[in-house]
């Protein structure tokens, strides 16, 4: 490993690349990183909430602001940003898929029962189409990991102990298909928890690195980490 550059204002947040351009969140700023010179160029900055996720769709950079329910397009030439999609209900885990942005929508709804107010999280898989969020499928459980290829999305629903199930859903939407059960999905510090590579879904199950065909089948152990 070698150091490319250093943050000017704290640890880097979200990173996004299309293979030729690398951008990052530097606390409140979105910056472009010159890999040859190690220089940072500020593209835009935000006030208020520091939570910003970046995703690149082909040659375009997008900043996802979950606490503000919106997605901005950030111009790579440094000329600023524009609102791309608004009223997007708490978008999380954005990724590029099928030429657009797909994400987990997980807003909290306030409910009252027997005089007691509670907060309930509602989860759905969504994508951006014509500047607005379109629900691909409502999901009854929390989504802890998300990956994609050109044919569909892959996601993990897990409980508080990270035990759960891996699913696949077609890029056009519909009913999710179960791929396999997971005893312990990844590690609390692992990002991402799973990726798609050569028609296989690669994921961590506890201390084992696993893969399963994206079309379904039997999981295979690739390697196992030592406990010590």
């Amino acid at each position: 490993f070698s150091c490319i550059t250093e943050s000017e204002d704290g640890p880097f947040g979200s990173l996004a690349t299309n293979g030729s351009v690398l951008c990052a969140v530097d606390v409140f700023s979105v910056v472009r990183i010159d890999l040859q010179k190690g220089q940072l160029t500020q593209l835009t900055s935000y006030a208020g909430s520091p939570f910003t996720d970046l995703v690149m769709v082909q040659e375009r950079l997008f900043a996802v602001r979950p606490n503000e329910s919106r997605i901005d397009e950030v111009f790579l030439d440094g000329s600023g940003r524009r609102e791309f999609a608004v009223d997007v209900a708490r978008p999380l885990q954005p990724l590029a898929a099928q030429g657009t942005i797909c994400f987990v929508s997980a807003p909290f709804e306030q409910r009252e029962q027997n005089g007691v107010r509670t907060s309930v999280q509602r989860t759905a898989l969504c994508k951006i189409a014509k500047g607005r969020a379109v629900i691909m499928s409502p999901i009854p459980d929390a989504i802890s990991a998300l990956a994609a290829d050109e044919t569909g999305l892959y996601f993990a629903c897990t409980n508080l102990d990270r035990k759960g199930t891996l699913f696949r859903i077609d890029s056009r939407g519909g009913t999710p298909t179960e791929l396999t059960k997971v005893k312990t999905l990844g590690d609390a510090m692992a990002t991402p928890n799973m990726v798609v590579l050569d028609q296989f879904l690669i994921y961590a199950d506890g201390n084992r690195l696993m893969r399963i065909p994206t079309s379904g089948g039997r999981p295979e152990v690739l390697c196992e980490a030592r406990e010590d």
Side-chain angles (χ1 to χ4, degrees):
F1 292 96
S2 62
C3 179
I4 298 173
T5 189
E6 294 183 4
S7 168
E8 296 179 352
D9 197 20
F12 284 121
S14 177
L15 294 172
T17 184
N18 61 359
S20 59
V21 176
L22 177 63
C23 296
V25 174
D26 192 1
V27 188
F28 290 99
S29 299
V30 177
V31 298
R32 179 170 178 168
I33 301 173
D34 187 318
L35 298 179
Q36 301 300 321
K37 300 179 181 179
Q39 295 178 345
L40 304 180
T41 301
Q42 180 176 292
L43 301 178
T44 190
S45 63
Y46 289 95
S49 171
F51 298 108
T52 303
D53 288 318
L54 299 181
V55 58
M56 291 199 74
V57 181
Q58 298 170 347
E59 304 299 320
R60 301 168 69 186
L61 175 66
F62 297 91
V64 179
R65 299 281 288 171
N67 289 350
E68 297 174 359
S69 300
R70 82 172 198 262
I71 300 174
D72 294 339
E73 180 177 4
V74 179
F75 301 118
L76 293 171
D77 61 3
S79 60
R81 65 177 188 261
R82 71 177 181 94
E83 285 188 343
F84 179 71
V86 296
D87 298 326
V88 183
R90 197 164 177 258
L92 304 173
Q93 302 185 50
L95 50 74
Q98 298 95 47
T100 187
I101 304 169
C102 295
F103 58 93
V104 177
S105 175
F108 287 97
E109 295 181 346
Q110 299 296 322
R111 298 180 183 178
E112 185 172 334
Q113 186 174 9
N114 300 325
V116 178
R117 293 183 63 84
T118 59
S119 181
V120 179
Q121 182 172 288
R122 175 171 51 84
T123 306
L125 280 176
C126 299
K127 65 180 178 181
I128 297 296
K130 298 181 179 179
R132 56 188 296 269
V134 176
I135 295 178
M136 300 175 64
S137 178
I139 307 297
D141 301 309
I143 297 176
S144 56
L146 185 64
D149 60 15
E150 292 305 312
T151 66
L153 295 178
Y154 307 85
F155 62 97
C157 288
T158 58
N159 58 23
L160 294 177
D161 295 324
R162 302 185 69 79
K163 295 179 174 63
T165 309
L166 301 185
F167 294 90
R168 178 190 182 277
I169 186 172
D170 190 88
S171 59
R172 295 166 294 183
T175 303
T177 301
E178 181 178 319
L179 293 177
T180 187
K181 298 292 185 183
V182 183
K183 293 181 179 179
T184 307
L185 180 69
D187 179 88
M189 299 300 292
T191 303
N193 283 322
M194 60 185 188
V195 296
V196 179
L197 179 64
D198 296 333
Q199 298 182 345
F200 284 93
L201 182 64
I202 313 295
Y203 62 98
D205 189 349
N207 65 335
R208 299 182 302 169
L209 186 64
M210 310 285 293
R211 77 174 185 178
I212 187 172
T214 54
S215 58
R218 186 180 181 88
E220 176 187 359
V221 179
L222 295 177
C223 63
E224 187 169 339
R226 294 170 55 181
E227 295 291 346
D228 57 359

